[in-house]
Amino acid sequence: MAFLLMFVTVLHLVTLAMLFIATIEKSWWSWGGIENTDLWYKCIYENTTETWLCASVSESEWLQSVQALMILSVVLSSISFMVFLGQLFTMSKGGLFYFTGLCQLFAGFAAFVAVLIYTFQRREILQDARALEIGRFGYCYILAWVCVPLLLVSGALYVHLRKRA
């Protein structure tokens, strides 16, 4: 049981870190190595100065919903971890981690809806004259997709996990 507790804790921390990186890092859509777009900024690589020049992205309703859902997912997963730590020290023997599991499941559903919206509404979100056919999804987008099953699995594990002596 101690192994399962340690595994769930490490899984939660790794998933939370990946979710945080997916939310704040600058590569949800990429046009090669010269231009990246994330949830917050659009960055262009300047060859002469060899630096990234970033500007805020143009706001759309779809983008705001993706931003809100990803932030909600990070907040719910953080709350879930803090509640889990509190329950480890205060819960009586045999108690279940229902609240922790539900927070983690809702975080997974929020991230799932966010990446689905980004997937199907990327033309409206990016609002770029460039052809989207030459671009591709960036690593943060893929990282967000990887977080979805990890959040759902850890949420299910928390629901079934009992506190032992």
Side-chain angles (χ1 to χ4, degrees):
M1 192 56 146
F3 175 74
L4 180 62
L5 182 65
M6 190 170 51
F7 173 75
V8 170
T9 304
V10 169
L11 176 65
H12 194 137
L13 288 173
V14 167
T15 305
L16 184 59
M18 288 173 32
L19 192 61
F20 189 72
I21 290 168
T23 303
I24 64 168
E25 196 57 38
K26 66 173 186 179
S27 184
W28 274 63
W29 188 263
S30 178
W31 286 277
I34 57 169
E35 192 172 339
N36 287 330
T37 301
D38 69 354
L39 301 179
W40 315 102
Y41 296 104
K42 179 178 182 177
C43 300
I44 299 173
Y45 186 73
E46 178 65 43
N47 283 330
T48 57
T49 60
E50 296 182 359
T51 59
W52 286 94
L53 303 174
C54 297
S56 295
V57 293
S58 57
E59 294 291 324
S60 73
E61 293 174 0
W62 291 114
L63 179 62
Q64 288 177 347
S65 63
V66 172
Q67 290 170 340
L69 286 166
M70 288 303 291
I71 290 171
L72 178 66
S73 184
V74 170
V75 167
L76 283 173
S77 188
S78 300
I79 289 171
S80 175
F81 187 69
M82 289 186 286
V83 168
F84 172 67
L85 291 178
Q87 286 177 331
L88 271 179
F89 298 110
T90 60
M91 187 189 306
S92 61
K93 181 180 172 184
L96 294 170
F97 298 94
Y98 283 131
F99 185 74
T100 302
L102 287 176
C103 281
Q104 199 70 344
L105 286 171
F106 284 132
F109 291 135
F112 179 66
V113 171
V115 291
L116 271 181
I117 290 172
Y118 195 87
T119 301
F120 293 116
Q121 301 298 329
R122 67 181 176 270
R123 291 195 188 284
E124 287 82 11
I125 289 173
L126 294 173
Q127 298 175 351
D128 201 339
R130 288 180 175 258
L132 291 178
E133 290 76 30
I134 61 172
R136 60 180 167 76
F137 290 108
Y139 73 92
C140 291
Y141 170 83
I142 296 166
L143 201 58
W145 266 117
V146 169
C147 286
V148 170
L150 293 177
L151 286 166
L152 296 175
V153 165
S154 66
L157 285 174
Y158 277 125
V159 168
H160 294 293
L161 189 65
R162 286 186 180 274
K163 182 176 179 184
R164 301 286 172 155

